[in-house]
Amino acid sequence: MSRRLRIPPIPSSEITAESAYISRRAFMRSAALLATPLAAGVGSPLLAAEARSGMALRYADAAAGPAGFNTDEAQTPFEDVASYGNFYEFGTDKSDPARYAGQMTVDPWSVEVDGAVGKPGKLNLEDILAVFDLEERIYRLRCVEAWSMVVPWVGFPLGDLLQRFEPQSSARFVEFRTLYRREEMPGTRSFTSIIDWPYREGLRMDEAMHPLTLIAVGLYGRTLPNQNGAPLRLVVPWKYGFKSIKSIVKIRLLERQPATSWQSLAPREYGFYANVNPEVDHPRWSQRYERRLPSSLLRPNRVPTRMFNGYAEQVAGLYKGMDLSRLY
Ligand SMILES: Nc1nc2c(c(=O)[nH]1)N[C@H]1C(S)=C(S)[C@@H](COP(=O)(O)O)O[C@H]1N2
Ligand SMILES: [Mo]
């Protein structure tokens, strides 16, 4: 038996998501060494993602969260979460965010909150991290393109943040905007760029105040990789991924429903609500199934898509009486 292939025993008490991550990383490195030409190209964005993996956060354990909020499904490995995604500010390829988002300056950072609030103002990132109690939330994230992941986010309820600015009773919607900095965002300079920057999203006030709706500042116990929306992003687990806007700099409370990026671009394909719904197909593809990452040609890992992405028990009540095939 070859010594090199021996795997050191790990006491079961130490088998955590983090140690699984480290051992898989070590495996990927050795795989890259074995198959140089191809793996080098595939491996480099991953190594870049590792170099940017953030600072350790202090947070309450997922198990302490409200029942039903945390899934015990297999978590998508860190490498997949950090290397495959959408962040059009950096390009439209799934690997562009990991390749280019390192250029984005995330320190200093502040979020401005205004509109229909009693106390408009700005919070800087240090204050946000000091003021709000962080907790882990293990959520499914389902992209409208029919791939999905399970991510252990670290964050706090969006409602906690909004409360501090004293929403007025006239506030019925919330609008979010992403940083727009052309010199650091090659996707916004591209001739093929189709979005009217900055990227915008919105929620109805009751959706924004729902306890599932999270502002994430980290994943896998550490601050967010830039490509996943550092330093803070929205996570709305029962809606298609495009609602979960990244790298937020501005939040505005409004009386009217805001125009949002994907809805403005293709209103027949992407609605304002964008609730995950296997019964309502996208005009160009079925929404009945999804590819759960990690997914490959040989192991597509196809799973059925669930109503409200599996959060119907918590959120179906928000949409009572609404025709969800019309208000998709
Ligand atoms: N600013 C901004 N936010 C964004 C996007 C984007 O292109 N720009 N893409 C959205 C889409 S389509 C998805 S599926 C998720 C992906 O999040 P992830 O890369 O962390 O998995 O981010 C969403 N947030
Ligand atoms: Mo998406």
Side-chain angles (χ1 to χ4, degrees):
M1 184 170 141
S2 154
R3 264 189 96 198
R4 274 170 48 229
L5 290 178
R6 252 183 35 216
I7 297 165
I10 303 171
S12 61
S13 62
E14 278 176 41
I15 300 180
T16 59
E18 187 75 356
S19 63
Y21 154 53
I22 288 163
S23 57
R24 187 157 183 272
R25 238 173 23 161
F27 165 75
M28 298 208 48
R29 263 200 214 103
S30 52
L33 287 174
L34 287 173
T36 311
L38 185 74
V42 175
S44 49
L46 295 181
L47 294 175
E50 278 175 39
R52 286 196 294 275
S53 71
M55 290 167 357
L57 291 165
R58 292 188 53 193
Y59 55 91
D61 224 52
F69 279 22
N70 294 305
T71 175
D72 55 10
E73 287 164 77
Q75 293 171 26
T76 303
F78 175 86
E79 295 78 4
D80 298 285
V81 176
S83 64
Y84 185 98
N86 286 322
F87 200 164
Y88 274 37
E89 285 83 341
F90 299 98
T92 55
D93 206 273
K94 292 287 174 286
S95 60
D96 284 340
R99 201 166 276 136
Y100 300 117
Q103 301 170 33
M104 175 171 62
T105 308
V106 297
D107 179 19
W109 194 276
S110 62
V111 181
E112 195 180 359
V113 182
D114 64 15
V117 289
K119 289 189 173 164
K122 250 186 189 182
L123 268 181
N124 61 41
L125 186 66
E126 296 77 62
D127 294 337
I128 290 170
L129 292 176
V131 164
F132 300 103
D133 292 329
L134 301 182
E135 58 183 295
E136 183 165 60
R137 294 278 184 97
I138 305 166
Y139 284 167
R140 292 174 288 274
L141 181 89
R142 207 297 195 169
C143 177
V144 72
E145 300 162 333
W147 51 270
S148 66
M149 326 188 272
V150 174
V151 185
W153 302 106
V154 178
F156 57 90
L158 170 66
D160 290 358
L161 184 138
L162 296 182
Q163 288 296 3
R164 277 183 71 88
F165 295 87
E166 300 183 0
Q168 294 170 340
S169 54
S170 60
R172 292 188 52 230
F173 292 92
V174 189
E175 188 207 58
F176 305 85
R177 292 182 183 213
T178 293
L179 176 76
Y180 174 37
R181 199 180 280 145
R182 283 174 64 85
E183 62 279 19
E184 295 182 356
M185 296 177 153
T188 67
R189 303 192 300 262
S190 158
F191 287 115
T192 58
S193 161
I194 46 174
I195 290 173
D196 175 23
W197 310 104
Y199 190 99
R200 281 161 240 203
E201 257 310 330
L203 293 173
R204 217 168 56 186
M205 198 63 189
D206 57 345
E207 299 175 325
M209 299 306 290
H210 193 280
L212 273 174
T213 304
L214 199 71
I215 291 288
V217 297
L219 57 83
Y220 273 106
R222 296 180 168 270
T223 52
L224 289 172
N226 281 9
Q227 58 269 36
N228 295 100
L232 81 172
R233 57 96 53 90
L234 187 68
V235 180
V236 195
W238 72 93
K239 293 177 179 285
Y240 290 123
F242 66 86
K243 298 295 291 183
S244 291
I245 182 174
K246 295 175 170 177
S247 305
I248 297 167
V249 291
K250 191 152 180 81
I251 299 177
R252 178 170 281 173
L253 278 71
L254 300 168
E255 295 173 20
R256 287 166 194 275
Q257 183 174 311
T260 56
S261 293
W262 283 101
Q263 194 192 18
S264 305
L265 206 64
R268 285 190 55 255
E269 302 188 18
Y270 310 102
F272 176 81
Y273 285 94
N275 292 316
V276 173
N277 189 341
E279 309 285 330
V280 176
D281 286 341
H282 184 278
R284 291 182 280 131
W285 60 83
S286 163
Q287 295 290 28
R288 292 217 161 269
Y289 290 88
E290 63 203 55
R291 286 184 301 115
R292 176 67 53 85
L293 302 186
S295 157
S296 65
L297 279 178
L298 290 179
R299 305 186 71 183
N301 203 15
R302 201 160 164 264
V303 300
T305 290
R306 295 159 69 186
M307 189 65 203
F308 296 112
N309 201 24
Y311 301 96
E313 203 183 308
Q314 289 89 359
V315 302
L318 299 175
Y319 308 102
K320 245 185 218 125
M322 277 176 56
D323 178 357
L324 296 179
S325 60
R326 204 173 57 83
L327 292 166
Y328 47 89

